[in-house]
Amino acid sequence: MIDHENNNRGLIDTREALQLAESVELDLVVVSQSKDAPVAKILNYGKLQYQKKKRQGQGARPTVKEVRFRPNVGAADYNLRIEQAIQWLGQGDSVKFAIRLRGRENQYREQAGEMLDRIAAALSEVGKVQSLDKRSLIVQIIPA
């Protein structure tokens, strides 16, 4: 048994351990169940549950990766970003593609919209389109 100050008390009878836990107004929690002797610890069980839940919430939160393109991106750069997006989607992250237009590039807004469609089609096997906004030239893809 381990007491509330993290001192190893060795093998103690269950009743004694419960009395010790009650004397310091904490809980007796079995930490490790083994064949010979289970390891128990005196601690605040509510606090343990809260910390465990908090840790689970932090690890399970998916992230959004953003990729920005210009309309005249080269084929090698385009393919590299698509491969990265496939990898990110495989890991459970969502991917947001944004195409930025500057100055005279606004004349080619339709080509940028077609590029968004190409991106969505290329990633259709590993993800599904959550939102496709051709007005702001953004597509967001989540894992399938």
Side-chain angles (χ1 to χ4, degrees):
M1 187 193 79
I2 301 170
D3 65 4
H4 61 287
E5 296 171 345
N6 284 335
N7 297 326
N8 190 353
R9 293 278 184 115
L11 288 175
I12 294 181
D13 186 44
T14 307
R15 290 186 192 105
E16 285 181 48
L18 282 171
Q19 287 174 354
L20 186 61
E22 287 176 6
S23 68
V24 291
E25 297 178 358
L26 292 173
D27 303 310
L28 183 67
V29 180
V30 176
V31 179
S32 173
Q33 187 73 31
S34 64
K35 292 180 182 177
D36 300 332
V39 177
K41 189 172 185 177
I42 296 176
L43 49 83
N44 186 345
Y45 187 68
K47 186 177 179 181
L48 177 74
Q49 289 294 90
Y50 172 76
Q51 289 174 343
K52 186 177 179 182
K53 187 175 180 182
K54 191 173 178 182
R55 268 186 260 124
Q56 278 182 337
Q58 288 176 350
R61 184 175 49 209
T63 58
V64 177
K65 306 282 188 175
E66 184 171 351
V67 178
R68 292 182 184 165
F69 277 136
R70 299 290 301 275
N72 55 353
V73 66
D77 289 333
Y78 173 82
N79 292 332
L80 177 71
R81 298 296 182 212
I82 294 296
E83 289 173 17
Q84 282 181 333
I86 290 171
Q87 183 180 16
W88 291 332
L89 289 167
Q91 293 172 356
D93 298 331
S94 59
V95 183
K96 177 180 176 182
F97 285 91
I99 298 178
R100 304 283 181 207
L101 300 177
R102 290 190 196 161
R104 290 186 176 180
E105 290 175 350
N106 280 311
Q107 296 173 355
Y108 303 106
R109 195 167 197 81
E110 294 159 7
Q111 290 178 347
E114 292 170 6
M115 180 184 267
L116 287 177
D117 292 333
R118 272 197 348 237
I119 292 169
L123 298 174
S124 64
E125 293 179 17
V126 292
K128 56 184 176 181
V129 176
Q130 183 179 17
S131 64
L132 175 64
D133 188 6
K134 288 194 177 182
R135 184 168 185 172
S136 57
L137 298 174
I138 295 174
V139 63
Q140 187 160 359
I141 301 173
I142 57 174

